[in-house]
Amino acid sequence: NSYEQGGYAAEASQNQQLWDLLEYNSHYFNPHRMASILSQVLEEPRGEALADPRLGAYLRHAKASVQLYENLKDLTAKDIASSVDVARALGHAAAEELSDALVATVAAQLHGISAQRVSFFITAFAKRRITDASFWRTAASAMADSEEATTPQVLVSLFDAFRKSGLRSERLYQALSHRVYSVLDDLGPAHIPPIVATVCRVPLAHADREQVIRALLGRWLSMLRQEREQPTGAVTVHQILSLTVSLGLAPEEINTAVFARDVAAFMGDRFGLLGAEDIIVFLWGMQRLIVPGTLTTYVSLGLRRGLQVRAH
């Protein structure tokens, strides 16, 4: 019918626009269009797209262009990571070469760009599961060597993305841990759990881990006490669950007794805020932190109170 014919015509027109754009960019490459073009090609019938010589020409020209960082410096880290990810999904040899060139060009700049820009790249690459070892080693070296002052949010991003990448570099995590002290007084309650989550899970000398966790918990617990006295919503159940689980993974030598005591007191009349799964996670974490018998009765009372709230 005419409706179907109109749909086919519109689709054919859109398809032609893509290939016209791709062909144009084979001669006049626009890096800002790269992520979008590659994503649209990925949606085309795979066999036809991969066999089309226009795609090969575009990918080769794109590879030559992205080897100059000047052509990439105005792109967001998200767009570059997206281009790498989609290029590798295409299953085309020239697309694989393009993706490798993108990663190599960015990696070559990591020692010369700001810590914030590095944090953008590693966050975007970790999210897209881009695991190129040379990139991550270079990023780790750049941040371990850097003496640039960082903001709390940048430091959180560095800790979080490096952990999610799976990188195991004690030198890096030691350097990041030492940076904590310069921003400690500026950390808000939401900044601290992701840092603790990393410190408890990565290679780090025991003395460094114990010292930085003590400092972070001291800062967070001071804000927890303020929250008890004057509730603002700054301290959340999610933060408590994250910290409880992370500290449960920390070595036994780390003293978590004050944390366990203060959190148990804070949660005593707030169990109703937890879902059933959250209660299980919280109690699992707490039992790893508490000396047997010290807070068990208190937590049990809180659990019963939470269940009673849910029953109503």
Side-chain angles (χ1 to χ4, degrees), residues 257 260-262 264-265 286 290-300:
R261 181 200 67 200
D262 288 3
M286 287 294 281
I290 298 171
V291 176
T294 55
L295 287 174
T296 305
T297 302
Y298 189 88
V299 173
S300 297

Side-chain angles (χ1 to χ4, degrees), residues 25 76 78 83 126 158 195 214 237 251 267:
N25 273 261
T76 67
K78 286 182 180 179
S83 296
L158 293 171
I195 297 178
R214 188 188 325 124
V237 167
M267 290 302 297

Side-chain angles (χ1 to χ4, degrees), residues 212-222 243 247 255-256 259:
V212 74
I213 287 180
R214 188 188 325 124
L216 288 165
L217 287 186
R219 171 71 178 162
W220 187 83
L221 287 172
S222 70
L243 286 169
L247 292 171
N255 188 345
T256 56
F259 170 84

